[in-house]
Amino acid sequence: MQYNYFPGRLRFRDPVLRDGDIREAALDVVKQICPQAEITYKESTASILAVYPEESVDVENLKKLVPYLLKIEPKVRFYTPKKKGDVLAGIEDVKKAVLRNAEHGKEK
């Protein structure tokens, strides 16, 4: 999976996103990360692009997600339909980490 971050832009690209269930799970996480984002999916490149106000996303919170993304990476790289459950579980772990980061931010 390819991840690209530029302030105000977040892109995920991989053929695995052509699977509707995986794509919807990934879109849910992106919506949690960037609630104000304009999110688009492009079938031809199998990519999700979120464009958002730069100040609305804390880069440090994004960095905290990297270990979760790396854990999913081998399952995505050599994806077969048998691994779909594992990929969805990994995305769920990312979602939980995003929620924990949001709750931790509210406590400050």
Side-chain angles (χ1 to χ4, degrees):
M1 173 128 358
Q2 179 182 351
Y3 314 99
N4 298 100
Y5 166 78
F6 300 99
R9 292 173 52 99
L10 185 60
R11 182 184 300 274
F12 300 92
R13 180 180 295 166
D14 195 276
V16 75
L17 293 171
R18 289 193 173 107
D19 179 289
D21 295 332
I22 292 173
R23 180 176 58 251
E24 287 305 313
L27 285 168
D28 285 346
V29 173
V30 174
K31 289 174 189 173
Q32 280 187 305
I33 294 170
C34 320
Q36 301 160 334
E38 179 181 318
I39 302 171
T40 56
Y41 170 71
K42 190 171 183 179
E43 180 67 27
S44 63
T45 58
S47 66
I48 294 171
L49 172 65
V51 179
Y52 55 90
E54 184 179 332
E55 66 282 351
S56 68
V57 174
D58 182 1
V59 177
E60 292 306 313
N61 283 338
L62 289 178
K63 288 179 183 178
K64 293 176 187 177
L65 301 177
V66 171
Y68 298 97
L69 296 172
L70 291 175
K71 189 175 177 183
I72 299 171
E73 184 67 32
K75 296 170 183 77
V76 170
R77 188 176 325 130
F78 303 108
Y79 180 74
T80 65
K82 290 170 114 177
K83 295 180 182 176
K84 183 175 180 172
D86 292 337
V87 172
L88 289 170
I91 293 171
E92 184 63 27
D93 288 344
V94 174
K95 189 175 184 178
K96 289 175 185 174
V98 170
L99 289 172
R100 279 192 303 273
N101 286 343
E103 288 300 316
H104 181 68
K106 288 179 185 177
E107 293 172 3
K108 288 184 174 181

